[in-house]
Amino acid sequence: MMKIPIGLQLYSVREQLAIDFEKTIKNVAQAGYEVVELAGLHNQKPEQIALLLKNFNLELIAMHCDVISTDGLKRSLDEAEALNCSNLICPYCPPESFETENNIRKLADKLNNANQLIKTQGRNLLYHNHDFEFRMLNGQPAFNLLEKFLEPSIHFELDTYLATVGGANPTNLMKSFPNRIQMLHLKDGSISPSNPNCALGDGNMNYNAILEAIPPSVNYFFVEIENCATDIFGAIRKSARYLANFTN
């Protein structure tokens, strides 16, 4: 497998960031991570976050943020500028956005419009999936329709775990859309939308197959543990070691 830097979605340690932001970032760096992804500023100023990450040799690759609303997109672009962050990711859209083909087309139009402004500032837009994007609609997964309606310059951050919860096969998705998927979310567990996550390798996900199938278009992957079944720092350290076996 190609060399890909080991990343963490900082949402995994959101509770710890709220208590002691600097100490938590230090622990993330010491756990073996090289790059990170933000999901909110955790009551910190973006300039402070940028400086702190630099001090601990962590590179900010992407941020989950509001790109749909006009005010949210402006705020997100301002934050991205202050953070020197190149990739803005739409983290969630309501499940009803995928109930009909017309709804999917409306969502794609919003994302395409946001992408025009994001591109003028030299940044990139990606879409992060959940499980409901893979419901069948008119004989195909709703995800396929979204991919069809989006501008080619909008890429995907494939959440491999949630795609599996939705009934999709991440390996097949990467083969079907090799040039659209640029980032991955890696989480493990019992493959259920309600049960907690665990360290990579301790759950039911087949990451041997997934990591071996990563196409050249994927530049980054991020460990994410939404609700940890064990000690969160122990889980992120173990996950980093697991990935190091594939990337070294």
Side-chain angles (χ1 to χ4, degrees):
M1 194 187 87
M2 75 193 86
K3 171 64 177 174
I4 297 178
I6 297 173
L8 181 71
Q9 165 53 270
L10 291 176
Y11 183 78
S12 307
V13 289
R14 59 197 179 279
E15 295 176 4
Q16 292 72 27
L17 288 168
I19 297 170
D20 191 328
F21 193 92
E22 182 172 353
K23 181 181 178 181
T24 301
I25 294 299
K26 180 180 179 180
N27 286 336
V28 168
Q30 291 178 340
Y33 291 90
E34 304 163 77
V35 300
V36 294
E37 180 180 47
L38 272 175
L41 301 184
H42 306 281
N43 296 317
Q44 306 292 314
K45 293 182 178 180
E47 295 83 1
Q48 292 173 327
I49 293 176
L51 180 59
L52 191 59
L53 293 176
K54 182 179 180 181
N55 289 343
F56 287 107
N57 295 314
L58 290 169
E59 183 180 359
L60 177 61
I61 298 300
M63 49 188 282
H64 282 205
C65 54
D66 180 6
V67 299
I68 298 294
S69 72
T70 301
D71 290 344
L73 178 57
K74 182 182 183 305
R75 181 174 63 253
S76 296
L77 284 169
D78 288 344
E79 291 173 355
E81 178 72 21
L83 289 160
N84 192 27
C85 183
S86 298
N87 300 294
L88 281 67
I89 298 180
C90 179
Y92 175 84
C93 288
E96 54 266 27
S97 303
F98 295 88
E99 288 181 348
T100 67
E101 182 171 332
N102 189 50
N103 285 1
I104 296 173
R105 193 181 292 274
K106 288 179 179 178
L107 171 60
D109 288 344
K110 292 178 181 178
L111 291 168
N112 289 337
N113 289 335
N115 186 50
Q116 291 181 10
L117 185 55
I118 291 169
K119 283 297 181 189
T120 63
Q121 297 206 9
R123 305 185 195 282
N124 307 307
L125 175 61
L126 294 88
Y127 180 86
H128 171 280
N129 65 278
H130 286 71
D131 56 343
F132 44 77
E133 288 91 344
F134 300 97
R135 67 178 66 175
M136 297 303 290
L137 188 63
N138 302 336
Q140 60 183 314
F143 181 88
N144 293 31
L145 289 170
L146 179 64
E147 190 274 339
K148 173 184 173 183
F149 297 146
L150 287 177
E151 293 290 336
S153 59
I154 300 177
H155 293 89
F156 287 97
E157 179 178 64
L158 176 65
D159 190 307
T160 56
Y161 184 84
L162 291 179
T164 305
V165 170
N169 183 314
T171 300
N172 290 342
L173 285 169
M174 289 188 290
K175 290 178 181 177
S176 298
F177 306 104
N179 298 316
R180 290 300 286 263
I181 298 173
Q182 286 192 340
M183 301 182 190
L184 302 180
H185 265 195
L186 309 176
K187 55 172 73 91
D188 213 340
S190 62
I191 310 181
S192 163
S194 57
N195 291 341
N197 298 142
C198 59
L200 296 189
D202 286 352
N204 296 333
M205 291 290 289
N206 184 4
Y207 278 117
N208 285 355
I210 291 170
L211 293 170
E212 290 295 336
I214 291 178
S217 61
V218 172
N219 301 312
Y220 299 100
F221 47 44
F222 299 94
V223 172
E224 183 181 41
I225 301 176
E226 290 197 30
N227 295 290
C228 191
T230 58
D231 171 67
I232 183 61
F233 288 118
I236 66 171
R237 285 194 296 269
K238 188 171 185 178
S239 296
R241 290 195 299 269
Y242 181 90
L243 288 175
N245 291 330
F246 286 91
T247 58
N248 293 329

